[in-house]
Amino acid sequence: MDHQSITSAYQRYAPFYDLLFGGVFEPGRRRLIQALDCRDGNSVLEVGVGTGLSLPHYPRHTRVTGVDLSPHMLERAQARVRRHGLDNVSLLAMDAQSLSFPDASFDKVAALYVASVVPDPAAMMRELRRVCRPGGQVLVVNHFSRGYGLGHTLERGLAPFARALGFRPLFPLAPFVANAGMELADTHPVNLFGYWTLVRFIKPGPMGTLA
Ligand SMILES: C[S@@+](CC[C@H](N)C(=O)[O-])C[C@H]1O[C@@H](n2cnc3c(N)ncnc32)[C@H](O)[C@@H]1O
């Protein structure tokens, strides 16, 4: 995966993205936002926000910043923000692996279906950790390869087409967690057949507290 292949793939996906991935990924989006447990005035960063399907689900008292690499996906997110009158949401074009926010800018950080898309998932996780405030949470939903069964056969078959598909079909959980540089709090299966996983990390705080 590289920036050029990602922006090309998501330029192709943008007009059909909601139709293809709106419904099938929806339970994971709702589950992650529920797990964020947003309190009054909390600030949330969502990276790889895409067409903004998650945005109407955040409580209006939460300030949400959504970033994405693809201008075509962001354009659709912007239209959704206008349509729903989401004045708690700001959108920016930005690389999740190199964020322009100062350290500890957000109470909570979310990454929905983007970890297996970015060229360097460990670099993305370093950035998410950096911009999350101490004691805050970083929540990720993604598919993770199991290494067995029909799903694995399919993932192996699709692996050579990662650039065209716009995501890495083979994406095991263990190295992702090992390289995240944060304590793994818990995992929950989400979506159809529990094939995707909600992964919750906690950035160590002064007293080990949650944001
Ligand atoms: C599979 S889509 C997920 C969209 C959305 N989060 C959802 O719930 O459907 C992946 C998104 O990540 C974006 N993306 C890929 N690499 C990125 C990067 N390095 N920085 C920011 N966004 C990126 C893509 O442009 C695309 O919009």
Side-chain angles (χ1 to χ4, degrees):
M1 306 297 297
D2 56 69
H3 284 191
Q4 178 56 45
S5 65
I6 291 166
T7 47
S8 304
Y10 285 92
Q11 178 172 4
R12 285 195 303 277
Y13 277 132
F16 316 105
Y17 188 87
D18 294 1
L19 198 65
L20 289 174
F21 302 112
V24 73
F25 287 172
E26 188 61 5
R29 293 187 189 99
R30 287 179 183 271
R31 184 78 190 269
L32 180 144
I33 292 170
Q34 192 186 17
L36 282 174
D37 189 23
C38 295
R39 316 271 168 86
D40 250 7
N42 268 178
S43 58
V44 175
L45 171 67
E46 187 183 318
V47 294
V49 70
T51 62
L53 285 159
S54 60
L55 297 174
H57 303 323
Y58 287 95
R60 296 295 175 100
H61 58 67
T62 301
R63 283 173 288 117
V64 182
T65 304
V67 306
D68 202 284
L69 206 55
S70 160
H72 296 90
M73 296 291 273
L74 270 180
E75 222 170 81
R76 283 163 194 275
Q78 200 67 66
R80 191 181 309 278
V81 164
R82 278 196 299 272
R83 225 167 33 245
H84 289 262
L86 304 176
D87 50 16
N88 60 322
V89 173
S90 323
L91 296 171
L92 296 163
M94 206 181 287
D95 182 353
Q97 303 165 129
S98 173
L99 297 167
S100 61
F101 306 111
D103 295 356
S105 295
F106 299 94
D107 296 309
K108 291 158 185 184
V109 180
L112 282 155
Y113 312 109
V114 60
S116 58
V117 178
V118 295
D120 184 348
M124 180 188 86
M125 292 307 287
R126 273 197 299 279
E127 279 295 84
L128 303 194
R129 179 187 198 278
R130 181 182 70 74
V131 300
C132 183
R133 81 165 166 84
Q137 306 186 59
V138 176
L139 270 67
V140 175
V141 171
N142 217 86
H143 82 274
F144 293 100
S145 316
R146 301 244 165 90
Y148 60 84
L150 194 62
H152 185 61
T153 309
L154 195 66
E155 287 161 3
R156 277 216 330 243
L158 290 174
F161 308 107
R163 283 165 57 90
L165 288 168
F167 68 94
R168 224 177 266 103
L170 281 176
F171 191 61
L173 178 63
F176 175 72
V177 169
N179 292 323
M182 277 174 287
E183 185 188 331
L184 173 67
D186 44 47
T187 64
H188 301 276
V190 293
N191 295 341
L192 201 61
F193 308 126
Y195 181 67
W196 289 259
T197 307
L198 167 62
V199 185
R200 195 161 64 95
F201 295 99
I202 296 174
K203 176 168 170 174
M207 312 289 284
T209 49
L210 286 179

